[in-house]
Amino acid sequence: MTPDDSSDAQLVRQFQAGDPKAFDIVVRRFQDRVFRLACVWLYDEQQAADAAQEVFLRGYKGLRSFRFRSTPFTWLYRTTRNVCNEFNRRRRHEPLDAPRADPAAAPERDATGYETARRVRELVAVLPERQREVVMLRIFEDLSVRDTASAMGCREGTVKALLHKACKRLKIDLDKMGIRP
Amino acid sequence: MSEDLERLKDDYRRIEAPPYLAMRIAALAAERRARRRRWPALAAAAGLTAAVLAVVTLIPPERPVPAQAWTAPSYARLSRMTPDRPPMAPPGLGSLKGVTTPAMPPKPALSRPQTPQSFFDTGDETRKETENEYA
């Protein structure tokens, strides 16, 4: 079995044992998911890339003492949420005329990603924060109820209840957006 | 789930991180690895420097001599100056009591007083002249 085929937990164990290549595989395996979440939360691809980089650099330090009480992605998700909140807080203090990344200047693939992230963001923006998280993890990231509960730090029943409320509300809002439920 | 939501979900999952991201993270991680390896050497160097600085700081510095401008001494002041030395008491006679000196020799006594008897009494000289006349 090559390191690429190892499970997430095995990779983290190899990294903890001192194998630097294992961390590179962890980065390659999770970078898209972390970047996607950061894109939705930050609404800025350049900042999302910076946030993803910060998440993995924190992971380089933090995964050494990871105790496997949850999955590595759950840990990365929480770190991504914290980093994005920090970026948003910092951005609130920026002057309004501060230079921002121009999505039109990005390559075609990035512009498409930017547009998709914008649509997802607009879809979940109407939801309260907890329901938004459930939708992102359970629907868009396809996490199990258990992993979602672990990532959000709540019970599985809470996840199910939040998802039910969110879907009920999204049906209404999907109509308003012109998207058929 | 509606079809549109499914499509949106598929589009969302097609979002990929920029290709430079993994390389950038790998480079930064390698740099941190190298920094962690350098840390013991840097700590030892810093400790040694701190120790040397502590030793240098603990040595008391020499007191600097204040620079004074030389002024010509006043002769009036010099004339009033007394040597600054402890007063010395002059030796008293009492301190000489114990000094023994050799006794003075006795005063010599004269056999006859040598007082001339008359103006012409020249004594032996006259007699010698007469002796020479007849020699």
Side-chain angles (χ1 to χ4, degrees):
Chain A
M1 186 171 65
T2 62
D4 283 348
D5 300 330
S6 307
S7 73
D8 300 345
Q10 275 176 331
L11 277 175
V12 174
R13 281 203 177 86
Q14 284 175 19
F15 171 61
Q16 287 178 339
D19 182 5
K21 283 180 185 173
F23 182 74
D24 294 342
I25 297 167
V26 169
V27 171
R28 281 204 300 271
R29 189 173 285 187
F30 293 115
Q31 63 172 353
D32 291 340
R33 299 171 87 176
V34 169
F35 177 74
R36 283 196 295 255
L37 286 165
C39 271
V40 173
W41 275 321
L42 293 173
Y43 200 30
D44 181 332
E45 290 208 6
Q46 186 54 50
Q47 287 217 336
D50 291 345
Q53 176 186 304
E54 179 63 24
V55 167
F56 284 109
L57 288 179
R58 287 188 193 185
Y60 186 77
K61 193 179 174 187
L63 286 176
R64 287 181 189 281
S65 52
F66 186 64
R67 292 176 188 173
F68 300 96
R69 287 180 186 166
S70 57
T71 61
F73 177 69
T74 306
W75 189 93
L76 284 172
Y77 167 76
R78 285 186 184 181
T79 310
T80 309
R81 192 176 56 185
N82 292 338
V83 169
C84 288
N85 285 341
E86 285 171 24
F87 271 59
N88 274 327
R89 269 200 299 274
R90 210 180 300 163
R91 207 157 51 174
R92 246 174 254 152
H93 299 293
E94 278 182 6
L96 288 173
D97 55 353
R100 304 291 295 273
D102 181 12
E108 185 59 31
R109 186 187 57 81
D110 290 343
T112 314
Y114 173 82
E115 178 59 25
T116 308
R118 188 187 63 77
R119 281 166 54 210
V120 173
R121 188 187 170 91
E122 281 176 3
L123 177 74
V124 296
V126 293
L127 298 172
E129 193 181 338
R130 300 288 279 173
Q131 292 180 23
R132 203 183 306 166
E133 264 190 87
V134 167
V135 169
M136 288 305 300
L137 293 174
R138 189 78 183 91
I139 296 175
F140 286 98
E141 289 295 337
D142 264 344
L143 253 64
S144 65
V145 175
R146 190 180 170 191
D147 286 346
T148 306
S150 172
M152 291 179 65
C154 61
R155 293 179 181 178
E156 292 180 24
T158 312
V159 171
K160 287 175 187 169
L162 285 169
L163 187 63
H164 176 73
K165 283 181 190 172
C167 282
K168 200 175 170 185
R169 189 159 182 178
L170 278 178
K171 277 175 193 171
I172 301 164
D173 290 329
L174 285 173
D175 284 338
K176 280 185 184 174
M177 289 171 69
I179 302 171
R180 281 197 307 272
Chain B
M1 286 286 161
S2 68
E3 284 180 13
D4 292 328
L5 193 59
E6 282 291 333
R7 206 180 306 135
L8 184 59
K9 184 180 149 185
D10 290 342
D11 287 346
Y12 170 78
R13 300 197 73 169
R14 248 179 262 132
I15 296 175
E16 286 178 355
Y20 61 83
L21 186 64
M23 285 186 286
R24 207 163 73 176
I25 292 167
L28 287 169
E31 190 190 318
R32 287 198 175 185
R33 254 196 314 272
R35 207 186 301 161
R36 277 182 57 197
R37 281 194 201 125
R38 274 201 307 265
W39 185 82
L42 286 174
L48 190 66
T49 310
V52 169
L53 279 175
V55 168
V56 169
T57 313
L58 288 176
I59 293 174
E62 291 181 4
R63 289 184 179 176
V65 180
Q68 289 179 339
W70 188 83
T71 51
S74 116
Y75 289 110
R77 190 162 159 266
L78 281 176
S79 67
R80 284 196 301 273
M81 275 177 72
T82 52
D84 184 18
R85 61 185 179 199
M88 195 171 69
L93 290 173
S95 63
L96 297 173
K97 204 184 284 180
V99 179
T100 53
T101 51
M104 291 290 284
K107 192 176 180 181
L110 294 172
S111 54
R112 62 180 176 92
Q114 289 183 345
T115 50
Q117 291 174 349
S118 67
F119 181 75
F120 299 103
D121 186 7
T122 52
D124 292 339
E125 284 183 8
T126 312
R127 249 176 273 139
K128 279 177 185 174
E129 282 177 3
T130 49
E131 282 173 9
N132 288 336
E133 280 179 3
Y134 297 106

